[in-house]
Amino acid sequence: VVMYSGELERQKQLATTAKTELDEKHQDLISSLNYAARMQRTILTSEEAVQDVFPGSYIFWHPQHIVGGDAYFLRRRASGPGAMFGVYDCTGHGVPGAFMTLLAERALDAGVEASSHKIKNPNRAGEILSHVDDFIRTVVNADPLASSNDGMDAFLLDFRPGEKSFYAAANFKVFMQTRRGFTELESDEASIGYRLETVETSPSYKTLPLDLSHAISLVIVSDGILDQKGGAKGLSLGRRRLKNLLDQAVREDTGSAVLDGDYLMRAIHEYQGDEQQRDDMTLIVLSLRG
């Protein structure tokens, strides 16, 4: 009986030690991820910079695992008004997704720089996405034998205040708000950067004109919003439910129909309920009232 009690005590001590070590490793991992999150945030345009160009905008950026594969950026023109604003959703989430955002940001910057002498070029947004597509395929997916195959979806707005703007979208959902309600913008179905089969050719991304003279806002959402499960039946939110929530989130403010971003995200979280977050979630209401 004494030996049995001693063995039982030893097993308890071993279990306690193992739990302590596991807790310490878990805490070290969380600390590393929190530090990495601070680093990832350095590539995101500050909210103040976004507000300078688009006053009254709303930004919700929430990775699934502290860091993630969603990101956004803004590059102002060197002279004069206007900016290039982009939102992108890279393959995966967590640490792999976060690494992809670093590469994607580098590729977007290179594309913007390469086209900096083409400020008046109406096809600039699509050409930048094509540049990013070539960069990722060449740098990330160069090995045809690798099991990984990474890329991203993106929306890029060539914002030109006082004149017609332009945009390009690669498998990305964006809704334009006017006094008449919300309209989904056209998007190319092809994503960016994924490895091509032998018979495939590189996709091209068309630049489309965008008249923002009567627009109130652009609502830009990543798949993490649309694919989030919730509700009584555990179904994905989807575009139809999101558009209903958009209509409900509109508020009258000094004669203008303003989209309340906080209300919208509360409604999305209410729909989510107790369901776990499935992916990185990004929702940006780009205000155009300024």
Side-chain angles (χ1 to χ4, degrees):
V1 175
V2 174
M3 288 182 60
Y4 176 80
S5 298
E7 179 64 19
L8 186 62
E9 184 62 29
R10 191 177 75 86
Q11 293 293 337
K12 287 182 179 180
Q13 290 176 351
L14 288 174
T16 300
T17 300
K19 184 179 184 304
T20 300
E21 291 177 351
L22 185 62
D23 288 343
E24 289 175 351
K25 289 180 179 179
H26 181 261
Q27 188 56 50
D28 287 343
L29 175 61
I30 295 300
S31 296
S32 295
L33 286 172
N34 285 330
Y35 188 79
R38 290 196 295 273
M39 295 177 67
Q40 185 179 29
R41 281 185 176 275
T42 64
I43 75 167
L44 302 179
T45 299
S46 69
E47 185 164 348
E48 291 76 15
V50 175
Q51 298 289 353
D52 281 344
V53 181
F54 304 101
S57 293
Y58 173 85
I59 298 174
F60 178 86
W61 178 78
H62 195 268
Q64 183 185 14
H65 298 305
I66 303 177
V67 293
D70 284 5
Y72 55 91
F73 89 129
L74 180 142
R75 299 293 182 268
R76 302 187 72 162
R77 289 188 183 179
S79 61
M84 195 69 69
F85 182 83
V87 182
Y88 49 104
D89 179 358
C90 298
T91 304
H93 39 74
V95 174
F99 271 105
M100 276 298 299
T101 65
L102 300 179
L103 291 169
E105 195 256 359
R106 174 184 166 193
L108 283 163
D109 257 341
V112 171
E113 179 62 28
S115 65
S116 60
H117 64 290
K118 302 179 180 178
I119 296 297
K120 292 297 183 180
N121 180 5
N123 297 315
R124 192 178 178 213
E127 290 179 0
I128 291 173
L129 291 192
S130 293
H131 179 95
V132 176
D133 177 68
D134 181 67
F135 178 96
I136 294 178
R137 190 173 298 110
T138 301
V139 174
V140 181
N141 296 322
D143 184 0
L145 301 179
S147 59
S148 61
N149 186 18
D150 301 301
M152 70 181 201
D153 301 328
F155 169 77
L156 195 58
L157 172 66
D158 183 0
F159 180 58
R160 307 184 181 193
E163 56 182 294
K164 185 175 291 183
S165 295
F166 298 89
Y167 79 96
N171 194 31
F172 219 91
K173 301 297 182 294
V174 179
F175 301 87
M176 182 169 68
Q177 179 194 9
T178 66
R179 293 292 298 183
R180 295 183 177 183
F182 295 88
T183 303
E184 183 175 347
L185 299 186
E186 181 183 343
S187 173
D188 286 311
E189 294 183 1
S191 295
I192 295 171
Y194 291 99
R195 193 178 298 115
L196 298 173
E197 299 296 333
T198 305
V199 296
E200 290 182 313
T201 58
S202 298
S204 61
Y205 304 96
K206 57 181 176 289
T207 302
L208 296 172
L210 190 60
D211 183 0
L212 299 176
S213 58
H214 298 291
I216 299 170
S217 69
L218 293 178
V219 184
I220 311 165
V221 293
S222 67
D223 282 347
I225 298 287
L226 293 166
D227 294 342
Q228 178 59 53
K229 292 188 180 298
K233 297 182 179 180
L235 300 175
S236 297
L237 178 67
R239 286 183 288 183
R240 181 179 59 81
R241 291 186 183 87
L242 176 61
K243 289 189 72 172
N244 287 338
L245 294 182
L246 289 174
D247 290 332
Q248 296 171 24
V250 172
R251 302 286 181 268
E252 289 293 332
D253 180 19
T254 61
S256 181
V258 177
L259 181 62
D260 187 335
D262 282 325
Y263 176 91
L264 178 60
M265 280 312 307
R266 286 198 302 272
I268 291 172
H269 284 139
E270 183 177 342
Y271 180 81
Q272 178 182 348
D274 295 330
E275 293 281 350
Q276 290 188 343
Q277 184 176 334
R278 293 169 53 86
D279 196 357
D280 306 319
M281 299 175 76
T282 300
L283 183 146
I284 296 179
V285 179
L286 208 60
S287 176
L288 300 167
R289 293 178 296 146

